[in-house]
Amino acid sequence: MATAAHALTPLAQLSRAVADWVNSVRELTQPHAIHWCEGTDAEARELTAQLLRGGELKALNPEYFPGCYLYRSAPSDVARVEHLTYICTRSQEDAGPNNHWMDPQQAHAKMRELFRGCMRGRTLYVIPYCMGPLDSPLARCGVEITDSAYVVLNMLIMTRAGRPALERIARDGGFVRGLHSVGELDPERRFIMHFPEELAIESFGSGYGGNALLGKKCHALRIASWQARTEGWLAEHMLIVGLQNPRGETHYLACAFPSACGKTNLAMLIPPDSLPGWRTFTVGDDIAWLHPGDDGRLWAINPEAGYFGVVPGTNPETNRNAYEMIHRDTLFTNVALTADSQPWWEGLATGKPVLDWQGRPYDPARGPAAHPNSRFTVSARRNPGYSPHAEDARGVPISALVFGGRRREVAPLVYEARDWKHGVLVGASLASETTAAAVGQVGVTRRDPMAMQPFCGYNFGDYWQHWLDIGAQLARAPRIYHVNWFRRDAHGKFLWPGYGENLRVLAWMLERCAGDLDTHGLKVGADALAALLTVDAALWRKELAEMREYLGRYGSRLPAALLAELESTEQRLA
Ligand code: OXD
Ligand code: MN
């Protein structure tokens, strides 16, 4: 940096609004010190050293994993907690049947009691951050206050955090206020509250991922979805990937899948040898902010700057780029360890765990060595496939939107929606088997419209209407598809190889006018392919009946156009 540190305005003086808020939080929480995050590498090194001294971080084998650390969360704090996550709007109807709701005054009162004095003896960290490229008009800023240095380290990777973000806040004025404390990590005193009308988040009692890194799910999805409706855009649980065909043309796809259904792998997909001439580029792996452009197309930015990915299953075959990326400058949470301090997880062909994710001698009788929801946090810039347009201020133009769930049956490998309106119905019909990303039973099928069930900050009825309104503005709307990589045969075996081969399906979408799915060199039998593409009319009639029942829950908030779309689909199937 050209400017000497002493010449810089102290962070606490950059924005009056932020400083006033920090002061009021200081009075409430009573920390012994306040640290304003500059966002420099030196600061990250200092915080890392401090956590190493305190034993909260463990350095991994520097020969094979330079700059990598292991963090172990409390065993009762390993996933998002949807049952403790609330949307606090003045009217319960605005939160909708898709959210847990609490009256904002009651929620503030409850949280005030939890936060009162909770940072005694601790440091209060102020993290100004920007979601999206710092110079992008589509980006939005926030400030997270937390008492966890581990959270700070994650936020420094996952967002554009520090002085430049605070400078932007000082210029723009508005920011999302996120207050977080790990509290006592007591599941009985854990709440993740959102106040969309106030652009505020209050999270207490968890230090884990989406509950604590407030820029991610809390801000970039729940609060942003509300903000997006007010401002005329969409905040979605979607990866963004660029595909370059052998003719050298690049198209971008945004794909919505529920948690732990392979978004990170798809975002970093490497073309199989059987599809020569194709290249792929990652723009984002989890969240897309989509804006109608002046040219009638839909443009997308990735609000995040890093990946908070599920570790188990990551290997050179499933995701070579992620596998290589996480060998340097990566924060691991809840993985196992080998005898020579290398991280270990299920799905690795080499190495042997000696300590499990809780630091106990590994005993297979106690379950997997790495927690199924163990994570890596790594900067997007370390991705060898990072798109040269990922930092473009106006984003990238989207040619197709893809919805997908984890379904053993019903949903075929791929189908295309007839138009935008039908596509909204397809997205609204998304259902998927639950995974370890959230606390609760794994493997039960649940409705997960647009993969946003845990993340939409308002009534789904209003949200679908907003989708319909956005579509009406787009002269060149993306086509909409549905995929299912997870269909199984009668013996429970996956029918589709997935991973790199998924490119065939994406390529088909982009080249659809030109012909059939390219199956050249694909090791999938004709019968399996037929099974993958079947639409069983009886199963579908059942599916539509369930869908009608589900949509009915939204009562008067359900857009009439969506119901009409369902009815015409029913008629086509009859
Ligand atoms: C995530 C999730 O962590 O969706 O991305 O749970
Ligand atoms: Mn996600």
Side-chain angles (χ1 to χ4, degrees):
M1 204 175 279
T3 334
H6 67 261
L8 295 173
T9 311
L11 289 171
Q13 288 170 24
L14 273 180
S15 156
R16 185 61 193 267
V18 175
D20 286 351
W21 179 54
V22 170
N23 252 330
S24 68
V25 172
R26 180 181 55 76
E27 277 166 22
L28 176 67
T29 59
Q30 305 280 312
H32 88 101
I34 296 190
H35 175 117
W36 289 74
C37 295
E38 286 279 357
T40 59
D41 291 344
E43 179 180 56
R45 278 195 301 274
E46 176 45 42
L47 285 170
T48 303
Q50 178 191 314
L51 288 174
L52 284 168
R53 284 193 301 273
E56 285 175 77
L57 280 190
K58 187 174 167 39
L60 295 172
N61 186 310
E63 189 182 341
Y64 300 107
F65 287 86
C68 295
Y69 301 92
L70 167 67
Y71 176 83
R72 295 191 183 109
S73 74
S76 62
D77 187 30
V78 291
R80 285 185 291 101
V81 283
E82 291 172 17
H83 59 296
L84 303 173
T85 299
Y86 289 79
I87 300 294
C88 310
T89 43
R90 285 191 296 270
S91 144
Q92 180 166 6
E93 272 278 283
D94 288 341
N98 45 305
N99 281 303
H100 299 294
W101 173 84
M102 199 180 289
D103 170 75
Q105 282 189 7
Q106 191 192 337
H108 279 308
K110 188 179 193 65
M111 297 307 278
R112 219 171 5 256
E113 286 325 301
L114 292 172
F115 280 116
R116 196 181 296 287
C118 73
M119 297 191 191
R120 281 201 190 103
R122 298 181 186 172
T123 299
L124 178 159
Y125 297 93
V126 183
I127 317 166
Y129 63 87
C130 179
M131 300 309 291
L134 276 156
D135 61 348
S136 171
L138 313 182
R140 293 288 179 274
C141 291
V143 176
E144 174 165 358
I145 293 181
T146 178
D147 53 9
S148 160
Y150 163 76
V151 166
V152 177
L153 284 182
N154 277 277
M155 287 290 286
L156 290 176
I157 298 172
M158 294 302 297
T159 71
R160 283 96 174 162
R163 178 174 292 272
L166 191 56
E167 284 168 350
R168 178 165 169 164
I169 290 171
R171 275 196 312 275
D172 292 0
F175 65 98
V176 170
R177 288 158 203 248
L179 173 54
H180 167 255
S181 170
V182 293
E184 313 86 38
L185 294 174
D186 175 359
E188 299 299 319
R189 285 160 52 85
R190 179 175 295 163
F191 291 98
I192 325 293
M193 303 281 195
H194 303 75
F195 305 87
E197 289 150 331
E198 304 165 32
L199 302 184
I201 306 156
E202 293 177 4
S203 166
F204 189 91
S206 167
Y208 173 81
N211 303 332
L213 317 180
L214 300 186
K216 195 175 182 59
K217 305 300 187 179
C218 298
H219 177 160
L221 287 175
R222 299 194 190 98
I223 297 289
S225 59
W226 175 285
Q227 221 173 0
R229 183 178 49 152
T230 329
E231 299 174 358
W233 47 282
L234 294 165
E236 297 299 325
H237 192 202
M238 291 177 173
L239 66 93
I240 309 164
V241 65
L243 305 182
Q244 190 187 84
N245 65 22
R247 295 188 298 280
E249 300 151 353
T250 303
H251 287 273
Y252 295 90
L253 279 72
C255 315
F257 293 84
S259 308
C261 282
K263 278 208 301 299
T264 303
N265 293 342
L266 191 63
M268 296 173 195
L269 156 154
I270 292 180
D273 293 342
S274 51
L275 293 179
W278 283 86
R279 294 185 65 190
T280 57
F281 303 96
T282 314
V283 178
D285 81 324
D286 195 39
I287 299 177
W289 285 358
L290 305 165
H291 292 251
D294 295 339
D295 59 355
R297 291 192 289 178
L298 195 59
W299 290 75
I301 61 164
N302 168 17
E304 300 190 281
Y307 311 117
F308 181 68
V310 175
V311 186
T314 306
N315 64 45
E317 274 70 52
T318 58
N319 191 336
R320 195 196 325 139
N321 283 346
Y323 180 76
E324 284 173 7
M325 220 183 319
I326 63 181
H327 277 71
R328 167 182 290 276
D329 299 335
T330 300
L331 206 50
F332 288 89
T333 301
N334 293 342
V335 292
L337 276 185
T338 63
D340 63 347
S341 288
Q342 296 193 50
W344 193 92
W345 54 88
E346 276 67 20
L348 277 186
T350 54
K352 217 171 72 194
V354 296
L355 295 181
D356 72 7
W357 63 277
Q358 296 187 55
R360 306 173 301 189
Y362 172 54
D363 174 359
R366 283 199 284 233
H371 189 277
N373 193 35
S374 52
R375 298 283 179 145
F376 55 76
T377 318
V378 65
S379 165
R381 297 200 175 173
R382 298 227 48 256
N383 178 359
Y386 195 43
S387 165
H389 297 290
E391 311 270 341
D392 284 7
R394 64 173 188 165
V396 295
I398 298 297
S399 302
L401 295 176
V402 183
F403 294 114
R406 184 183 278 273
R407 299 295 301 267
R408 306 176 152 257
E409 49 175 32
V410 189
L413 179 63
V414 56
Y415 64 93
E416 180 177 326
R418 297 153 62 89
D419 54 21
W420 182 274
K421 258 200 253 163
H422 181 226
V424 175
L425 178 70
V426 168
S429 324
L430 211 64
S432 192
E433 293 157 25
T434 51
T435 67
V439 168
Q441 213 187 334
V442 169
V444 289
T445 301
R446 72 161 176 181
R447 294 269 147 213
D448 193 350
M450 277 81 171
M452 285 286 279
Q453 168 51 45
F455 307 121
C456 182
Y458 62 103
N459 190 316
F460 262 150
D462 300 338
Y463 168 80
W464 295 321
Q465 184 61 55
H466 182 51
W467 262 82
L468 294 168
D469 294 344
I470 292 282
Q473 281 177 50
L474 297 171
R476 297 157 71 191
R479 292 179 188 234
I480 301 183
Y481 295 86
H482 186 285
V483 299
N484 177 18
W485 316 133
F486 301 95
R487 197 149 169 169
R488 307 215 199 181
D489 67 13
H491 310 289
K493 196 171 151 285
F494 288 112
L495 284 161
W496 180 249
Y499 303 108
E501 301 294 354
N502 292 338
L503 178 59
R504 292 172 193 270
V505 176
L506 305 184
W508 171 79
M509 292 171 186
L510 297 181
E511 310 264 309
R512 207 181 57 85
C513 309
D516 296 328
L517 183 66
D518 180 355
T519 54
H520 176 82
L522 179 67
K523 292 187 205 70
V524 172
D527 288 353
L529 200 64
L532 273 164
L533 297 171
T534 359
V535 170
D536 180 324
L539 276 179
W540 271 92
R541 275 192 288 274
K542 186 164 159 280
E543 181 82 3
L544 287 177
E546 281 170 24
M547 187 58 198
R548 180 178 267 284
E549 189 274 323
Y550 173 72
L551 292 180
R553 292 183 213 167
Y554 293 87
S556 63
R557 299 268 179 137
L558 181 69
L562 203 62
L563 194 59
E565 201 56 48
L566 178 74
E567 276 159 9
S568 74
T569 309
E570 285 168 343
Q571 277 156 19
R572 285 197 299 275
L573 208 70

